[in-house]
Amino acid sequence: MTAIKHALQRDIFTPNDERLLSIVNVCKAGKKKKNCFLCATVTTERPVQVKVVKVKKSDKGDFYKRQIAWALRDLAVVDAKDAIKENPEFDLHFEKIYKWVASSTAEKNAFISCIWKLNQRYLRKKIDFVNVSSQLLEESVPSGENQSVTGGDEEAVDEYQELNAREEQDIEIMMEGCEYAISNAEAFAERLSRELQVLDGANIQSIMASEKQVNILMKLLDEALKEVDQIELKLSSYEEMLQSVKEQMDQISESNHLIHLSNTNNVKLLSEIEFLVNHMDLAKGHIKALQEGDLSSSRGIEACTNAADALLQCMNVALRPGHDMLLAVEQQQQRFSDLRENFARRLASHLNNVFVQQGHDQSSTLAQHSVELTLPNHHPFHRDLLRYAKLMEWLKSTDYRKYEGLTKNYMDYLSRLYEREIKDFFEVAKIKMTGTTKESKKFGQRRLSLVVGLHGSSGKLTGSTSSLNKLSVQSSGNRRSQSSSLLDMGNMSASDLDVADRTKFDKIFEQVLSELEPLCLAEQDFISKFFKLQQHQSMPGTVTEGEDTDGGTLSRQHNAGTPLPVSSEKDMIRQMMIKIFRCIEPELNNLIALGDKIDSFNSLYMLVKMSHHVWTAQNVDPASFLSTTLGNVLVTVKRNFDKCISNQIRQMEEVKISKKSKVGILPFVAEFEEFAGLAESIFKNAERRGDLDKAYTKLIRGVFVNVEKVANESQKTPRDVVMMENFHHIFATLSRLKISCLEAEKKEAKQKYTDHLQSYVIYSLGQPLEKLNHFFEGVEARVAQGIREEEVSYQLAFNKQELRKVIKEYPGKEVKKGLDNLYKKVDKHLCEEENLLQVVWHSMQDEFIRQYKHFEGLIARCYPGSGVTMEFTIQDILDYCSSIAQSH
């Protein structure tokens, strides 16, 4: 603490001619412990000033700085808090109470003691020392009389006077004149005393001699005192005048302050008034536009739009605190509310009239579209209404109830209008679809009655006219020659009609979708712009209706006619579209049902077209009304397609063949060829190729199973011939169409065709040389039983004589006759459509030669050296076969 005291004396108090007497380390009570020092100081110059100084350590370094100083005369109370117990807290009452906590009780007591001493020495005023130990004050009393350390030092400083240079010189001369002074100080002191007495006597005599001058001086002093009294009187009057001036200046200052305050308030008031006027004042032109503006002209709409925006800005201005309590503001707000309500009512009424008028105007244009397969264009209506888009946005933000009412009215009027237009449009489409198809139906009915009359029991017919074509070739044998030409003509006409009808249906269906798609997109875009609804892109991975699930079955997530809860503006757009175009999905389903009724193969066209349009719509917005509706319709189309495939398979299972005529190419095999050819042309580069591949797999399995079933049931035609011809036809069809998903079935068909061809050839060749075949079968049986080949000739039934006897029964002429009969029999078994006669005959020729070589080998091994040979050669066989083939 001593070092700090010295540092404070050196750095702070010495430069200010002050002396530090006491110091205490303190901090403020009840706050953060920020330490400082309270110092008791006195000035070195007179008059002496006593102060209490607060010194604080600087935040920027280790040096101390003077923070605040109080004059000791301003101190009223010193409160030590507790006179008995040790307590470091104490209070100093200056202009306010300062509460301190000393670092130690000893420092606090020392500082209070120093304050008491300074008060007793310099001030002599009444400072109350509260809760201070009486012992502490009693200890300080003798220190005042006997000069304590602090008081004694100060007294010594006050009495001591330093010698000046002249006095030092005189003392030195005196001491030089009295050399003995050093050795005899008493004698020197006595001398000095005597000389002092001489000087005092001289001074007294001089004073007494100058009494006259003293009287003159006293008189002058009296006159000076009178002058001083006059000066004091003048100073008093001046002081009174200055006091009056001071009071006047104080009044002027107070008046200036009030004027400044008034000006400040006026400026603020003017600012508030300007704010209200600038932000809550609606121009007369805007008010007139809102009350009387023409909502039917472009200029009037623009004026109303600007006025509505200005009104909205005035109503939405952010009022400052207290503005809403002003009567003028309240009245202006009420006026704005009335303007808004009236204009909103006028706008809603006008737009409702526009909606109604549009319905009447658009209805008048329906007649010109009743012949052409086109939908009326709503672009002019949308263009006219879009002029009100900003006003609709204003209405949405200011009066949502009227906005909702307009939305509902728009949906009601437009839904009725679109319902009339779309129904008329679909009626035209149905008429165009059934125009030539009715003739086709009449022709098909005539041809059906003809076929049934010729064929007897021909089984069930398919829904397509192509089924009639295929079944019509299966007429009974006894009437075939009578009706073949008529049936050929019927087939050609029906085929042409099928192609024309399907092509026409495809074009009409595509045109229907192409007309509906831009209509829906245009209306959805208009709704978004006019009603100020945002269209958001949906997130990836959304499952939509129309996606193919397991086994080709599709499920709808919801019914398009049931409103969904509106959770966003996007949902609101969808709900409005559903309400406006509620008739599209039923009409499309009816059109699809009609197309499927006309020709079940139309489902192929519809599946491809609908899939393409769904894919296009989903790329734009997977959750849009168009995408959802087309997806739902695609479900129906896919079901019809699956139904068509199921019908084809069922008809295969129900087919019946004639017991009196040969089978030939089965109807469902020919139908599969037609279906595959048609499907490949339709599904070329289509998005839903997977559906067709699944259908192919189902159909080809059904064809394979039912070909074998019919072959087993056939009585007129051998089983191998039915299998061979039909699988050859299937193999040729698959090879020509090159269907990648049926490669395995193509190989299987080829294998079945080859196997049954070989089986038929072997079976048929057993008949021309029947006895020879039986003889050599017996020889092979004996060898198989263990008899050596060269010993077979010793068997009674198989000796050389029996061999020659059997060989003589088959001379060359007889063999040729047998082959000729075989050729005729094969020709009777085979059908003309497949043209396999020469293939089968060539195979039989090869098989016959193989058997001939086999017989010769057995003769050479079992009858060696017998000289027995066949009566015809291989060359003879070749000539016989060639001659027979040419003759037929």
Side-chain angles (χ1 to χ4, degrees), residues 760-774 777 810 822 844 847-848 851:
Y760 177 65
V761 168
I762 293 174
Y763 168 76
S764 299
L765 279 178
Q767 297 177 2
L769 305 178
E770 186 176 359
K771 293 181 179 180
L772 193 60
N773 280 330
H774 288 325
E777 285 175 358
Y810 294 99
L822 178 61
M844 287 187 170
E847 180 64 24
F848 194 25
Q851 289 186 8

Side-chain angles (χ1 to χ4, degrees), residues 618-731:
Q618 288 183 345
N619 283 342
V620 177
D621 185 0
S624 67
F625 164 78
L626 181 64
S627 176
T628 303
T629 302
L630 294 182
N632 292 339
V633 175
L634 180 60
V635 174
T636 304
V637 174
K638 181 59 171 58
R639 287 173 179 168
N640 289 343
F641 176 76
D642 294 338
K643 182 179 177 182
C644 174
I645 301 303
S646 301
N647 289 338
Q648 295 283 337
I649 296 174
R650 188 182 71 252
Q651 290 168 7
M652 294 178 193
E653 297 170 350
E654 295 175 354
V655 69
K656 301 296 182 180
I657 60 171
S658 174
K659 298 180 180 180
K660 298 181 180 180
S661 61
K662 59 184 177 181
V663 176
I665 302 303
L666 293 171
F668 55 81
V669 174
E671 288 175 2
F672 174 78
E673 178 185 10
E674 180 188 6
F675 173 83
L678 179 64
E680 287 300 308
S681 64
I682 296 174
F683 278 81
K684 186 177 183 181
N685 301 323
E687 287 84 3
R688 298 184 69 96
R689 177 73 195 192
D691 295 330
L692 180 62
D693 291 342
K694 293 177 182 178
Y696 276 149
T697 304
K698 293 180 181 179
L699 283 175
I700 200 67
R701 285 292 102 197
V703 169
F704 279 17
V705 169
N706 286 285
V707 165
E708 190 164 355
K709 172 187 172 185
V710 172
N712 292 333
E713 295 174 355
S714 175
Q715 298 179 3
K716 184 71 174 179
T717 306
R719 177 179 182 276
D720 289 329
V721 172
V722 176
M723 298 286 286
M724 172 186 65
E725 288 183 328
N726 284 280
F727 279 108
H728 177 269
H729 192 85
I730 294 170
F731 171 71

